[in-house]
Amino acid sequence: MAKFIVPKEIFHGLGSIENLKELKGKKAVIVIGGNSVRANGSLKRTENYLKEAGISSVIFSGVEADPSIDTVKKGADFFLQEQPDVIVGLGGCSAIDAAKAMWVYYEYPESTLEELAAPFAVKKMRNKAYFVAIPSTSGTGTEITGLSVITDKEKGTKYPIVSHELTPDVAIVDGELCESMPAHVTANTGLDALSHGVEAFVSNIADRYNDSLAKGAIELVFENLPKAYAKPNDKEARQAMHDASCMAGMAFTNVWLGIVHSMSHQIGGTFGIPHGCGNAILMPNVTRFNAKVTDKYEELAALFGKSTAEDFAQEIEALRSKVGVVGSIKEYGVSQEEWDAKLDILTENAMKDPCTLFNPRKPKFEEIKAIYQACYDGVRVDL
């Protein structure tokens, strides 16, 4: 028996942010990152539509890329002061992920990150507030998922908090909010969406419901990411990428992810490599590794009129190049000395990452290490 969990309500399409005026509540905290949602008008529109709904709002700003546990605790303290019954995560993945974690600490102030990082450890939520997610980037699918990734900067480790309790109650998927995304953000987040579709499709608990969403998302990314990258004001391409991100999110929040993410979490936390970039570097070699135990990559190759997992790996590499993303960790700028010093701990932490549980092929320590090394050097792996 399987279960399929998504938000109670998903409003999607150009202009769908106006559905905020249908919400119920008294007071909202809007969690944002920097100035982009102010500059593009998204924040003002959010405040105005909440006001139409009779909901007052206050803002918590300053969430950084790869949000830290320190920021999360500051936000939770702000929540405890303001006592909202609606929490709105507005912006990129970092703002929404941070808002989810703040929500947990608001409802359970005694929580610790180490406890929450155990799979499905989050207690029953919605005792104080419900959650609304409004993404302004197209990639993470965090508006639809039971996942929040928080960084302990002292340890240099990203902790994925995995629980269906974190699935937002309302998701608004409006491509108009993405037009101001810079090209490199469009590329990285779009490749992140691709990795979600691919890893959900090959998950060891994949099923028909999620396969259809994952495959549909993969097709949308390959067709529309180059368009959105080259022509940022192409609203239809922007909405298609937003839809792809959401669809891939619906798939992976139900069947989870694999070692692309287990490994990417570590290089992101340690070296600051953007998550989508890290995924794009790792994905082709993880495809080659997993293809020894599943034929599902061959189904994805068929989308391009081809037939092998290697064909699909090369399609990923071609798309990565087309949108200007580097092909190796070394090319990103990590020195050999830094890499050699961290490789074993990266491997150890990737093995412990919850996403590893859902990979189609169970990896050994030395296999993860070898994949990492091949991706550092920019060479193909054969394991």
Tab-separated table of all heavy atoms in Angstrom, residues 77-135:
chain	number	residue	atom	x	y	z
A	77	ASP	N	11.930	32.883	17.511
A	77	ASP	CA	11.737	33.849	18.606
A	77	ASP	C	10.796	34.980	18.165
A	77	ASP	O	9.947	35.439	18.936
A	77	ASP	CB	13.075	34.431	19.052
A	77	ASP	CG	13.926	33.440	19.819
A	77	ASP	OD1	13.383	32.411	20.287
A	77	ASP	OD2	15.151	33.668	19.942
A	78	PHE	N	10.955	35.417	16.910
A	78	PHE	CA	10.079	36.457	16.357
A	78	PHE	C	8.638	35.947	16.296
A	78	PHE	O	7.688	36.673	16.624
A	78	PHE	CB	10.587	36.857	14.977
A	78	PHE	CG	9.835	37.986	14.337
A	78	PHE	CD1	9.996	39.296	14.780
A	78	PHE	CD2	8.976	37.761	13.272
A	78	PHE	CE1	9.309	40.351	14.181
A	78	PHE	CE2	8.294	38.801	12.659
A	78	PHE	CZ	8.457	40.102	13.121
A	79	PHE	N	8.462	34.687	15.876
A	79	PHE	CA	7.120	34.086	15.832
A	79	PHE	C	6.496	34.073	17.232
A	79	PHE	O	5.319	34.392	17.401
A	79	PHE	CB	7.190	32.648	15.325
A	79	PHE	CG	7.434	32.480	13.847
A	79	PHE	CD1	7.826	33.537	13.051
A	79	PHE	CD2	7.290	31.243	13.257
A	79	PHE	CE1	8.065	33.369	11.694
A	79	PHE	CE2	7.510	31.056	11.908
A	79	PHE	CZ	7.901	32.119	11.123
A	80	LEU	N	7.288	33.664	18.228
A	80	LEU	CA	6.775	33.585	19.593
A	80	LEU	C	6.350	34.959	20.104
A	80	LEU	O	5.379	35.091	20.856
A	80	LEU	CB	7.836	32.973	20.513
A	80	LEU	CG	8.082	31.466	20.314
A	80	LEU	CD1	9.373	31.032	20.989
A	80	LEU	CD2	6.903	30.652	20.851
A	81	GLN	N	7.055	35.975	19.644
A	81	GLN	CA	6.709	37.356	20.018
A	81	GLN	C	5.421	37.803	19.324
A	81	GLN	O	4.553	38.431	19.933
A	81	GLN	CB	7.863	38.271	19.628
A	81	GLN	CG	7.601	39.758	19.764
A	81	GLN	CD	8.730	40.581	19.148
A	81	GLN	OE1	9.904	40.331	19.395
A	81	GLN	NE2	8.362	41.550	18.323
A	82	GLU	N	5.286	37.473	18.030
A	82	GLU	CA	4.164	37.972	17.221
A	82	GLU	C	2.914	37.098	17.271
A	82	GLU	O	1.816	37.563	16.977
A	82	GLU	CB	4.606	38.135	15.758
A	82	GLU	CG	5.720	39.149	15.565
A	82	GLU	CD	5.273	40.576	15.841
A	82	GLU	OE1	4.047	40.836	15.785
A	82	GLU	OE2	6.134	41.432	16.121
A	83	GLN	N	3.080	35.808	17.576
A	83	GLN	CA	1.963	34.864	17.707
A	83	GLN	C	1.069	34.806	16.457
A	83	GLN	O	-0.150	35.008	16.520
A	83	GLN	CB	1.123	35.213	18.935
A	83	GLN	CG	1.835	34.979	20.263
A	83	GLN	CD	2.082	33.509	20.544
A	83	GLN	OE1	1.158	32.679	20.533
A	83	GLN	NE2	3.349	33.146	20.779
A	84	PRO	N	1.647	34.502	15.283
A	84	PRO	CA	0.814	34.408	14.077
A	84	PRO	C	-0.008	33.118	14.048
A	84	PRO	O	0.361	32.112	14.670
A	84	PRO	CB	1.862	34.380	12.962
A	84	PRO	CG	3.037	33.690	13.590
A	84	PRO	CD	3.061	34.193	15.008
A	85	ASP	N	-1.119	33.141	13.309
A	85	ASP	CA	-1.840	31.896	13.027
A	85	ASP	C	-1.701	31.500	11.551
A	85	ASP	O	-2.242	30.491	11.120
A	85	ASP	CB	-3.310	31.982	13.434
A	85	ASP	CG	-4.076	33.120	12.767
A	85	ASP	OD1	-3.446	33.949	12.077
A	85	ASP	OD2	-5.303	33.184	12.939
A	86	VAL	N	-0.976	32.326	10.787
A	86	VAL	CA	-0.630	32.011	9.396
A	86	VAL	C	0.853	32.315	9.205
A	86	VAL	O	1.323	33.387	9.601
A	86	VAL	CB	-1.441	32.857	8.386
A	86	VAL	CG1	-1.110	32.441	6.956
A	86	VAL	CG2	-2.937	32.748	8.653
A	87	ILE	N	1.574	31.377	8.620
A	87	ILE	CA	2.984	31.592	8.294
A	87	ILE	C	3.124	31.524	6.787
A	87	ILE	O	2.666	30.561	6.155
A	87	ILE	CB	3.884	30.556	8.976
A	87	ILE	CG1	3.817	30.739	10.491
A	87	ILE	CG2	5.332	30.683	8.492
A	87	ILE	CD1	4.375	29.592	11.269
A	88	VAL	N	3.744	32.558	6.207
A	88	VAL	CA	3.923	32.629	4.758
A	88	VAL	C	5.423	32.609	4.455
A	88	VAL	O	6.165	33.486	4.911
A	88	VAL	CB	3.299	33.910	4.170
A	88	VAL	CG1	3.536	33.962	2.655
A	88	VAL	CG2	1.805	33.975	4.488
A	89	GLY	N	5.868	31.613	3.715
A	89	GLY	CA	7.226	31.590	3.192
A	89	GLY	C	7.188	32.147	1.779
A	89	GLY	O	6.528	31.566	0.902
A	90	LEU	N	7.859	33.278	1.545
A	90	LEU	CA	7.816	33.955	0.246
A	90	LEU	C	9.227	34.140	-0.285
A	90	LEU	O	10.074	34.741	0.376
A	90	LEU	CB	7.140	35.325	0.391
A	90	LEU	CG	7.213	36.265	-0.814
A	90	LEU	CD1	6.438	35.705	-2.010
A	90	LEU	CD2	6.672	37.654	-0.439
A	91	GLY	N	9.494	33.623	-1.485
A	91	GLY	CA	10.802	33.827	-2.095
A	91	GLY	C	11.380	32.530	-2.612
A	91	GLY	O	10.659	31.639	-3.061
A	92	GLY	N	12.708	32.444	-2.533
A	92	GLY	CA	13.385	31.243	-2.981
A	92	GLY	C	13.307	30.133	-1.950
A	92	GLY	O	12.690	30.276	-0.889
A	93	CYS	N	13.960	29.035	-2.267
A	93	CYS	CA	13.932	27.867	-1.393
A	93	CYS	C	14.392	28.200	0.016
A	93	CYS	O	13.826	27.724	0.996
A	93	CYS	CB	14.828	26.786	-1.988
A	93	CYS	SG	15.075	25.364	-0.916
A	94	SER	N	15.440	29.030	0.131
A	94	SER	CA	16.000	29.308	1.448
A	94	SER	C	14.962	29.941	2.367
A	94	SER	O	14.835	29.557	3.536
A	94	SER	CB	17.217	30.230	1.313
A	94	SER	OG	18.254	29.575	0.623
A	95	ALA	N	14.218	30.917	1.860
A	95	ALA	CA	13.208	31.583	2.683
A	95	ALA	C	12.120	30.607	3.112
A	95	ALA	O	11.690	30.606	4.275
A	95	ALA	CB	12.593	32.752	1.915
A	96	ILE	N	11.679	29.764	2.184
A	96	ILE	CA	10.585	28.836	2.504
A	96	ILE	C	11.080	27.718	3.420
A	96	ILE	O	10.402	27.343	4.386
A	96	ILE	CB	9.947	28.296	1.213
A	96	ILE	CG1	9.333	29.454	0.414
A	96	ILE	CG2	8.879	27.252	1.540
A	96	ILE	CD1	8.805	29.071	-0.960
A	97	ASP	N	12.262	27.178	3.150
A	97	ASP	CA	12.816	26.151	4.039
A	97	ASP	C	13.011	26.690	5.447
A	97	ASP	O	12.698	26.029	6.442
A	97	ASP	CB	14.159	25.649	3.496
A	97	ASP	CG	14.010	24.524	2.491
A	97	ASP	OD1	12.887	24.313	1.995
A	97	ASP	OD2	15.016	23.851	2.195
A	98	ALA	N	13.555	27.909	5.546
A	98	ALA	CA	13.764	28.516	6.864
A	98	ALA	C	12.430	28.716	7.574
A	98	ALA	O	12.306	28.443	8.777
A	98	ALA	CB	14.499	29.844	6.731
A	99	ALA	N	11.421	29.187	6.833
A	99	ALA	CA	10.104	29.406	7.438
A	99	ALA	C	9.517	28.107	7.971
A	99	ALA	O	8.891	28.088	9.045
A	99	ALA	CB	9.169	30.038	6.408
A	100	LYS	N	9.702	27.009	7.243
A	100	LYS	CA	9.217	25.711	7.729
A	100	LYS	C	9.883	25.344	9.051
A	100	LYS	O	9.222	24.895	10.002
A	100	LYS	CB	9.505	24.612	6.696
A	100	LYS	CG	8.650	24.643	5.444
A	100	LYS	CD	9.065	23.493	4.532
A	100	LYS	CE	8.291	23.473	3.232
A	100	LYS	NZ	8.752	22.387	2.338
A	101	ALA	N	11.206	25.503	9.111
A	101	ALA	CA	11.926	25.151	10.330
A	101	ALA	C	11.553	26.089	11.486
A	101	ALA	O	11.407	25.652	12.636
A	101	ALA	CB	13.432	25.171	10.079
A	102	MET	N	11.385	27.382	11.190
A	102	MET	CA	10.933	28.324	12.218
A	102	MET	C	9.574	27.894	12.772
A	102	MET	O	9.302	28.010	13.975
A	102	MET	CB	10.829	29.732	11.616
A	102	MET	CG	12.150	30.369	11.245
A	102	MET	SD	11.877	31.904	10.295
A	102	MET	CE	13.543	32.260	9.739
A	103	TRP	N	8.719	27.450	11.879
A	103	TRP	CA	7.383	26.966	12.246
A	103	TRP	C	7.490	25.821	13.259
A	103	TRP	O	6.763	25.799	14.262
A	103	TRP	CB	6.681	26.544	10.962
A	103	TRP	CG	5.280	26.025	11.046
A	103	TRP	CD1	4.303	26.396	11.918
A	103	TRP	CD2	4.700	25.059	10.163
A	103	TRP	NE1	3.139	25.716	11.642
A	103	TRP	CE2	3.355	24.895	10.573
A	103	TRP	CE3	5.181	24.341	9.068
A	103	TRP	CZ2	2.490	24.008	9.916
A	103	TRP	CZ3	4.321	23.473	8.408
A	103	TRP	CH2	2.982	23.308	8.832
A	104	VAL	N	8.411	24.886	13.005
A	104	VAL	CA	8.603	23.764	13.943
A	104	VAL	C	9.030	24.281	15.311
A	104	VAL	O	8.474	23.888	16.354
A	104	VAL	CB	9.647	22.772	13.407
A	104	VAL	CG1	9.909	21.667	14.446
A	104	VAL	CG2	9.191	22.151	12.094
A	105	TYR	N	10.018	25.177	15.328
A	105	TYR	CA	10.513	25.701	16.599
A	105	TYR	C	9.467	26.585	17.291
A	105	TYR	O	9.459	26.703	18.516
A	105	TYR	CB	11.811	26.480	16.382
A	105	TYR	CG	13.037	25.594	16.309
A	105	TYR	CD1	13.435	25.018	15.107
A	105	TYR	CD2	13.799	25.328	17.444
A	105	TYR	CE1	14.553	24.209	15.027
A	105	TYR	CE2	14.928	24.516	17.381
A	105	TYR	CZ	15.303	23.965	16.175
A	105	TYR	OH	16.410	23.146	16.109
A	106	TYR	N	8.611	27.215	16.527
A	106	TYR	CA	7.500	27.998	17.085
A	106	TYR	C	6.536	27.077	17.832
A	106	TYR	O	6.094	27.372	18.945
A	106	TYR	CB	6.800	28.733	15.935
A	106	TYR	CG	5.537	29.483	16.266
A	106	TYR	CD1	5.434	30.312	17.386
A	106	TYR	CD2	4.426	29.406	15.400
A	106	TYR	CE1	4.263	31.033	17.648
A	106	TYR	CE2	3.266	30.123	15.648
A	106	TYR	CZ	3.195	30.926	16.776
A	106	TYR	OH	2.042	31.643	17.030
A	107	GLU	N	6.225	25.955	17.213
A	107	GLU	CA	5.288	25.026	17.838
A	107	GLU	C	5.955	24.155	18.900
A	107	GLU	O	5.306	23.749	19.872
A	107	GLU	CB	4.621	24.167	16.753
A	107	GLU	CG	3.878	24.997	15.710
A	107	GLU	CD	2.542	24.432	15.291
A	107	GLU	OE1	2.228	23.293	15.682
A	107	GLU	OE2	1.801	25.147	14.585
A	108	TYR	N	7.249	23.883	18.724
A	108	TYR	CA	7.993	23.047	19.677
A	108	TYR	C	9.339	23.708	19.974
A	108	TYR	O	10.374	23.310	19.425
A	108	TYR	CB	8.197	21.641	19.108
A	108	TYR	CG	6.895	20.906	18.867
A	108	TYR	CD1	6.331	20.833	17.589
A	108	TYR	CD2	6.210	20.314	19.930
A	108	TYR	CE1	5.126	20.188	17.384
A	108	TYR	CE2	5.002	19.657	19.728
A	108	TYR	CZ	4.464	19.596	18.463
A	108	TYR	OH	3.256	18.946	18.257
A	109	PRO	N	9.350	24.721	20.853
A	109	PRO	CA	10.579	25.493	21.100
A	109	PRO	C	11.738	24.671	21.655
A	109	PRO	O	12.892	25.078	21.529
A	109	PRO	CB	10.130	26.552	22.125
A	109	PRO	CG	8.657	26.670	21.931
A	109	PRO	CD	8.191	25.297	21.565
A	110	GLU	N	11.445	23.525	22.215
A	110	GLU	CA	12.509	22.698	22.805
A	110	GLU	C	13.216	21.818	21.767
A	110	GLU	O	14.148	21.079	22.098
A	110	GLU	CB	11.909	21.814	23.907
A	110	GLU	CG	11.082	20.627	23.427
A	110	GLU	CD	9.670	20.971	22.917
A	110	GLU	OE1	9.290	22.165	22.943
A	110	GLU	OE2	8.970	20.039	22.470
A	111	SER	N	12.825	21.903	20.526
A	111	SER	CA	13.403	21.041	19.480
A	111	SER	C	14.902	21.283	19.324
A	111	SER	O	15.408	22.371	19.603
A	111	SER	CB	12.724	21.318	18.133
A	111	SER	OG	11.341	21.049	18.185
A	112	THR	N	15.621	20.251	18.848
A	112	THR	CA	17.023	20.396	18.465
A	112	THR	C	17.174	19.938	17.026
A	112	THR	O	16.434	19.055	16.564
A	112	THR	CB	17.968	19.570	19.351
A	112	THR	OG1	17.753	18.173	19.101
A	112	THR	CG2	17.754	19.868	20.832
A	113	LEU	N	18.123	20.526	16.311
A	113	LEU	CA	18.320	20.198	14.905
A	113	LEU	C	18.689	18.736	14.732
A	113	LEU	O	18.221	18.070	13.803
A	113	LEU	CB	19.398	21.103	14.301
A	113	LEU	CG	19.632	20.975	12.796
A	113	LEU	CD1	18.345	21.183	12.003
A	113	LEU	CD2	20.694	21.976	12.340
A	114	GLU	N	19.518	18.225	15.621
A	114	GLU	CA	19.941	16.820	15.526
A	114	GLU	C	18.739	15.878	15.651
A	114	GLU	O	18.636	14.884	14.910
A	114	GLU	CB	20.975	16.502	16.610
A	114	GLU	CG	22.341	17.147	16.388
A	114	GLU	CD	22.357	18.639	16.694
A	114	GLU	OE1	21.415	19.135	17.366
A	114	GLU	OE2	23.298	19.327	16.250
A	115	GLU	N	17.819	16.190	16.546
A	115	GLU	CA	16.622	15.355	16.692
A	115	GLU	C	15.736	15.442	15.454
A	115	GLU	O	15.226	14.434	14.956
A	115	GLU	CB	15.822	15.805	17.921
A	115	GLU	CG	16.483	15.503	19.254
A	115	GLU	CD	15.758	16.182	20.417
A	115	GLU	OE1	14.835	16.996	20.177
A	115	GLU	OE2	16.140	15.899	21.556
A	116	LEU	N	15.562	16.664	14.959
A	116	LEU	CA	14.678	16.865	13.812
A	116	LEU	C	15.229	16.234	12.538
A	116	LEU	O	14.462	15.927	11.619
A	116	LEU	CB	14.450	18.363	13.586
A	116	LEU	CG	13.703	19.107	14.693
A	116	LEU	CD1	13.691	20.602	14.408
A	116	LEU	CD2	12.277	18.578	14.851
A	117	ALA	N	16.559	16.060	12.473
A	117	ALA	CA	17.180	15.499	11.272
A	117	ALA	C	16.947	13.997	11.139
A	117	ALA	O	17.173	13.435	10.064
A	117	ALA	CB	18.674	15.790	11.269
A	118	ALA	N	16.474	13.343	12.192
A	118	ALA	CA	16.099	11.933	12.066
A	118	ALA	C	14.852	11.850	11.191
A	118	ALA	O	13.940	12.679	11.318
A	118	ALA	CB	15.824	11.331	13.435
A	119	PRO	N	14.783	10.884	10.269
A	119	PRO	CA	13.637	10.824	9.355
A	119	PRO	C	12.301	10.775	10.090
A	119	PRO	O	12.120	10.003	11.029
A	119	PRO	CB	13.889	9.525	8.574
A	119	PRO	CG	15.373	9.335	8.632
A	119	PRO	CD	15.787	9.844	9.980
A	120	PHE	N	11.383	11.639	9.681
A	120	PHE	CA	10.000	11.676	10.162
A	120	PHE	C	9.911	11.904	11.676
A	120	PHE	O	9.041	11.361	12.352
A	120	PHE	CB	9.274	10.387	9.752
A	120	PHE	CG	9.398	10.090	8.287
A	120	PHE	CD1	10.261	9.100	7.825
A	120	PHE	CD2	8.697	10.832	7.353
A	120	PHE	CE1	10.406	8.849	6.469
A	120	PHE	CE2	8.832	10.586	5.995
A	120	PHE	CZ	9.689	9.592	5.552
A	121	ALA	N	10.809	12.741	12.201
A	121	ALA	CA	10.854	12.995	13.647
A	121	ALA	C	9.996	14.183	14.079
A	121	ALA	O	9.789	14.387	15.276
A	121	ALA	CB	12.299	13.231	14.082
A	122	VAL	N	9.504	14.976	13.133
A	122	VAL	CA	8.721	16.164	13.483
A	122	VAL	C	7.371	15.736	14.074
A	122	VAL	O	6.672	14.892	13.517
A	122	VAL	CB	8.489	17.068	12.257
A	122	VAL	CG1	7.606	18.256	12.607
A	122	VAL	CG2	9.825	17.548	11.709
A	123	LYS	N	7.019	16.348	15.193
A	123	LYS	CA	5.756	16.026	15.854
A	123	LYS	C	4.587	16.666	15.109
A	123	LYS	O	4.769	17.452	14.183
A	123	LYS	CB	5.799	16.529	17.301
A	123	LYS	CG	6.887	15.888	18.147
A	123	LYS	CD	6.978	16.572	19.509
A	123	LYS	CE	8.177	16.072	20.296
A	123	LYS	NZ	8.352	16.842	21.557
A	124	LYS	N	3.379	16.356	15.559
A	124	LYS	CA	2.169	16.868	14.908
A	124	LYS	C	2.165	18.393	14.912
A	124	LYS	O	2.303	19.023	15.960
A	124	LYS	CB	0.924	16.329	15.615
A	124	LYS	CG	-0.380	16.752	14.951
A	124	LYS	CD	-1.564	16.098	15.627
A	124	LYS	CE	-2.878	16.602	15.041
A	124	LYS	NZ	-2.990	16.393	13.595
A	125	MET	N	2.004	18.969	13.731
A	125	MET	CA	2.039	20.421	13.564
A	125	MET	C	0.618	21.004	13.490
A	125	MET	O	-0.358	20.290	13.654
A	125	MET	CB	2.827	20.773	12.302
A	125	MET	CG	4.293	20.337	12.355
A	125	MET	SD	5.286	21.328	13.481
A	125	MET	CE	5.427	22.847	12.560
A	126	ARG	N	0.548	22.313	13.251
A	126	ARG	CA	-0.697	23.075	13.088
A	126	ARG	C	-1.439	23.263	14.407
A	126	ARG	O	-2.657	23.421	14.424
A	126	ARG	CB	-1.620	22.430	12.032
A	126	ARG	CG	-0.979	22.461	10.658
A	126	ARG	CD	-1.558	21.485	9.656
A	126	ARG	NE	-0.799	21.570	8.422
A	126	ARG	CZ	0.364	20.917	8.221
A	126	ARG	NH1	0.862	20.121	9.162
A	126	ARG	NH2	1.016	21.068	7.087
A	127	ASN	N	-0.700	23.251	15.498
A	127	ASN	CA	-1.279	23.564	16.797
A	127	ASN	C	-1.440	25.071	16.976
A	127	ASN	O	-2.325	25.523	17.701
A	127	ASN	CB	-0.384	23.020	17.914
A	127	ASN	CG	-0.098	21.539	17.744
A	127	ASN	OD1	-1.017	20.734	17.749
A	127	ASN	ND2	1.161	21.177	17.562
A	128	LYS	N	-0.576	25.848	16.324
A	128	LYS	CA	-0.608	27.300	16.452
A	128	LYS	C	-0.870	28.015	15.126
A	128	LYS	O	-1.419	29.117	15.115
A	128	LYS	CB	0.727	27.810	17.012
A	128	LYS	CG	1.050	27.329	18.415
A	128	LYS	CD	2.395	27.896	18.876
A	128	LYS	CE	2.755	27.424	20.271
A	128	LYS	NZ	4.076	27.975	20.705
A	129	ALA	N	-0.425	27.409	14.009
A	129	ALA	CA	-0.511	28.113	12.725
A	129	ALA	C	-0.522	27.114	11.575
A	129	ALA	O	-0.115	25.963	11.728
A	129	ALA	CB	0.683	29.063	12.568
A	130	TYR	N	-0.998	27.590	10.415
A	130	TYR	CA	-0.852	26.802	9.195
A	130	TYR	C	0.121	27.513	8.264
A	130	TYR	O	0.525	28.651	8.509
A	130	TYR	CB	-2.199	26.510	8.537
A	130	TYR	CG	-2.922	27.672	7.907
A	130	TYR	CD1	-2.757	27.978	6.558
A	130	TYR	CD2	-3.826	28.443	8.650
A	130	TYR	CE1	-3.445	29.027	5.961
A	130	TYR	CE2	-4.532	29.497	8.058
A	130	TYR	CZ	-4.326	29.782	6.729
A	130	TYR	OH	-5.015	30.825	6.130
A	131	PHE	N	0.527	26.824	7.175
A	131	PHE	CA	1.657	27.278	6.374
A	131	PHE	C	1.259	27.509	4.922
A	131	PHE	O	0.609	26.662	4.295
A	131	PHE	CB	2.777	26.238	6.433
A	131	PHE	CG	4.119	26.745	5.968
A	131	PHE	CD1	5.034	27.241	6.872
A	131	PHE	CD2	4.464	26.740	4.617
A	131	PHE	CE1	6.276	27.722	6.466
A	131	PHE	CE2	5.685	27.222	4.182
A	131	PHE	CZ	6.590	27.714	5.113
A	132	VAL	N	1.713	28.652	4.389
A	132	VAL	CA	1.488	29.012	2.987
A	132	VAL	C	2.847	29.225	2.322
A	132	VAL	O	3.685	29.960	2.843
A	132	VAL	CB	0.661	30.313	2.874
A	132	VAL	CG1	0.434	30.686	1.406
A	132	VAL	CG2	-0.658	30.183	3.608
A	133	ALA	N	3.072	28.581	1.189
A	133	ALA	CA	4.345	28.700	0.480
A	133	ALA	C	4.125	29.370	-0.871
A	133	ALA	O	3.262	28.953	-1.647
A	133	ALA	CB	4.985	27.331	0.285
A	134	ILE	N	4.950	30.404	-1.131
A	134	ILE	CA	4.860	31.151	-2.395
A	134	ILE	C	6.278	31.248	-2.970
A	134	ILE	O	7.043	32.154	-2.630
A	134	ILE	CB	4.282	32.567	-2.187
A	134	ILE	CG1	3.007	32.517	-1.347
A	134	ILE	CG2	4.024	33.232	-3.536
A	134	ILE	CD1	2.487	33.898	-0.957
A	135	PRO	N	6.656	30.327	-3.850
A	135	PRO	CA	8.023	30.355	-4.382
A	135	PRO	C	8.209	31.394	-5.477
A	135	PRO	O	7.306	31.628	-6.288
A	135	PRO	CB	8.197	28.952	-4.950
A	135	PRO	CG	6.813	28.554	-5.364
A	135	PRO	CD	5.892	29.180	-4.335
